[in-house]
Amino acid sequence: MGGAKRAERRRRQRALAADQTSRPAAKQSSRRAAKRGAGGGRRGVVVALVVLALLAAAVVGGVLWQRSRSGPGPAQATPVTAEYPVALTDGVVVAGKDSARVTVDIYEDFLCPACGAFEKRDGAAIDDALAAGTARVRYHIVNILDDLSNPPGYSTDAANAALCAADAGQFPSYHASLYGKQPREGGRGYTDDQLVQLGRDLGITAASFESCVRSGSHDDAVRDQEQAATSSQALQRSYPDGRRGFATPTIVVDGKLIEIGDSASWLTDAIAAAG
Amino acid sequence: MVRDLIGTLARIGLAAVWLISGGLKVADPEQTYVAIQAYDVLPTGIAGAVAAALPFVEIALGILLLAGLGTRLVAAASLVLLAAFIAGVAQAWARGLSIDCGCFGGGGAVASAETRYPQEIARDLGFVLLAGWLVIRPRTLFALDGRLGPARAPVLGAEGGT
């Protein structure tokens, strides 16, 4: 492309110079102008090359700079003492005693900032209710924000790793850790190495945990959960302009979708109402 | 002389547009990526590359315009970039996506009452006028183009010597 442009320009300059020299009236000055034109033309080509080189350098520099940017750093282990049973069934993590009177379904994505805020605000209250046996929580980890990490795929990787941690009996701590220090939307998420290291920091020693994380054993289950959630009419919410859609976090209490409001009172009210 | 002055103002103005827009993007690369993804038009792999390179391309254009080097070429490149932005906003508008254009920082999904598609396109068309002037008449004051030699090939920088 560059060569063709240069050749075109040279052709144009030669034609211009020839034009000027062929006019008899201004022959002397036009010959001088032709010489200057040819020199300026060459200088013009150099300037064009400098400009294009600078723009190319900007593109390359940008991509290299972005690659070199460190991500969120290592994940932070936030152990949680979970004195309640936790089981993984069909891609859903069921926590709490079966005898609990209130059942809460929580739909979350590990990259979702609103989910992080929700966990920070209400995580302790949820944990207390689970330990007291007043509520039972079903965690549906979805990956709707998969394309919003750079490189994409963190939502799926994190969801898979959390289910692997559930296999190893460490879901509550792993879940709290991933939200406690949450990667930024649009940024790099935790790598497989960092997800494996987090499990080790939380005391997971089973060798199967690492292979579960790296091979994405639960990826399909996560995608199934995401499919089910996004296609379910009952889980959709209305936006001010009339559109309806599924978003995270979505909280369902005893089968009814609720707005979580300004505090954890949605949980305490539901427990009190259940008597 | 007046036209040289108008050209100079256009050049400095367009330089400021690129430097501010690029600078805000460099300051928040994650937000830039989210904003580009919200347009839902580029495949994810390309969106990542664009999010990485775009801020620096804008800054490079701004620096070149500020220095007044290769003004016509840089103005033409600006037109191409502005055309891409306008097309992006227009397709989001046509498809009923609810996003903030993210042109000056920010960007991503917003409530549809807060979208400002017509204003964003009008603003970009204003910048197109600046760039268009410089493509047609790249001769400006205080520019490197003018200092690089008495005669310039009409295809690049300012035309003619005196």
Side-chain angles (χ1 to χ4, degrees):
Chain A
M1 210 255 293
K5 264 177 120 176
R6 251 176 277 139
E8 238 272 89
R9 220 172 272 130
R10 245 178 265 132
R11 235 179 292 127
R12 251 186 271 143
Q13 267 136 39
R14 252 180 252 132
L16 192 68
D19 241 320
Q20 290 178 324
T21 53
S22 72
R23 260 180 272 125
K27 216 167 187 191
Q28 265 285 45
S29 59
S30 70
R31 222 178 282 135
R32 250 182 278 129
K35 270 214 205 100
R36 253 186 284 137
R42 234 172 280 128
R43 211 169 285 126
V45 169
V46 171
V47 170
L49 290 180
V50 167
V51 168
L52 292 174
L54 217 81
L55 292 178
V59 171
V60 172
V63 175
L64 289 178
W65 174 79
Q66 191 252 304
R67 281 239 176 95
S68 75
R69 285 185 78 245
S70 53
Q76 187 148 44
T78 315
V80 164
T81 42
E83 292 141 1
Y84 45 84
V86 179
L88 173 59
T89 352
D90 287 332
V92 181
V93 179
V94 183
K97 308 194 176 103
D98 278 340
S99 56
R101 264 186 275 234
V102 175
T103 301
V104 179
D105 288 279
I106 297 182
Y107 295 80
E108 317 181 289
D109 183 307
F110 277 115
L111 189 63
C112 158
C115 302
F118 165 70
E119 283 294 332
K120 274 206 171 76
R121 195 194 73 186
D122 296 348
I126 294 172
D127 214 59
D128 290 344
L130 286 168
T134 46
R136 185 167 83 112
V137 177
R138 295 195 288 228
Y139 291 95
H140 307 254
I141 313 289
V142 296
N143 59 345
I144 57 173
L145 299 185
D146 224 20
D147 279 341
L148 282 190
S149 61
N150 188 12
Y154 170 68
S155 290
T156 308
D157 292 344
N160 171 66
L163 296 187
C164 297
D167 284 335
Q170 281 291 348
F171 177 81
S173 298
Y174 205 86
H175 172 261
S177 303
L178 285 183
Y179 277 122
K181 187 183 164 197
Q182 188 182 28
R184 286 194 65 188
E185 236 182 0
R188 185 188 295 265
Y190 294 123
T191 60
D192 278 353
D193 288 343
Q194 289 169 331
L195 290 170
V196 171
Q197 186 58 43
L198 175 61
R200 295 222 189 88
D201 291 343
L202 289 172
I204 301 179
T205 49
S208 52
F209 174 72
E210 172 159 3
S211 56
C212 176
V213 171
R214 290 193 193 280
S215 63
S217 315
H218 294 292
D219 282 358
D220 287 339
V222 171
R223 286 193 195 105
D224 289 344
Q225 281 298 312
E226 188 250 345
Q227 261 304 107
T230 48
S231 51
S232 160
Q233 283 295 323
L235 294 177
Q236 306 211 327
R237 271 178 288 181
S238 294
Y239 294 96
D241 60 356
R243 290 180 303 134
R244 285 177 66 76
F246 171 77
T248 53
T250 291
I251 318 294
V252 176
V253 175
D254 288 332
K256 229 171 46 118
L257 193 151
I258 59 150
E259 295 299 325
I260 50 179
D262 294 327
S263 70
S265 55
W266 61 271
L267 181 59
T268 47
D269 290 348
I271 293 173
Chain B
M1 185 60 191
V2 175
R3 272 178 269 173
D4 282 1
L5 205 58
I6 295 177
T8 310
L9 290 174
R11 198 188 97 228
I12 304 295
L14 195 59
V17 168
W18 288 134
L19 288 173
I20 294 173
S21 175
L24 286 169
K25 289 190 178 70
V26 166
D28 197 343
E30 288 94 3
Q31 182 62 284
T32 305
Y33 179 79
V34 170
I36 290 177
Q37 286 288 59
Y39 279 93
D40 197 25
V41 66
L42 294 174
T44 304
I46 299 193
V50 169
L54 184 61
F56 295 97
V57 169
E58 291 188 4
I59 290 177
L61 291 176
I63 291 176
L64 287 168
L65 281 171
L66 205 57
L69 184 66
T71 302
R72 179 175 258 160
L73 181 59
V74 176
S78 301
L79 281 180
V80 171
L81 200 51
L82 286 165
F85 289 160
I86 292 174
V89 174
Q91 66 92 31
W93 191 8
R95 289 165 62 193
L97 301 182
S98 269
I99 55 178
D100 167 359
C101 91
C103 305
F104 286 88
V110 298
S112 73
E114 290 173 23
T115 59
R116 299 259 181 278
Y117 297 132
Q119 294 91 320
E120 284 159 3
I121 292 181
R123 183 193 59 207
D124 285 349
L125 286 175
F127 300 151
V128 164
L129 288 179
L130 298 180
W133 175 284
L134 290 170
V135 166
I136 296 171
R137 196 181 189 283
R139 181 162 155 175
T140 58
L141 310 167
F142 316 119
L144 275 185
D145 280 341
R147 283 166 216 225
L148 284 183
R152 310 265 337 105
V155 72
L156 288 174
E159 289 134 321
T162 38

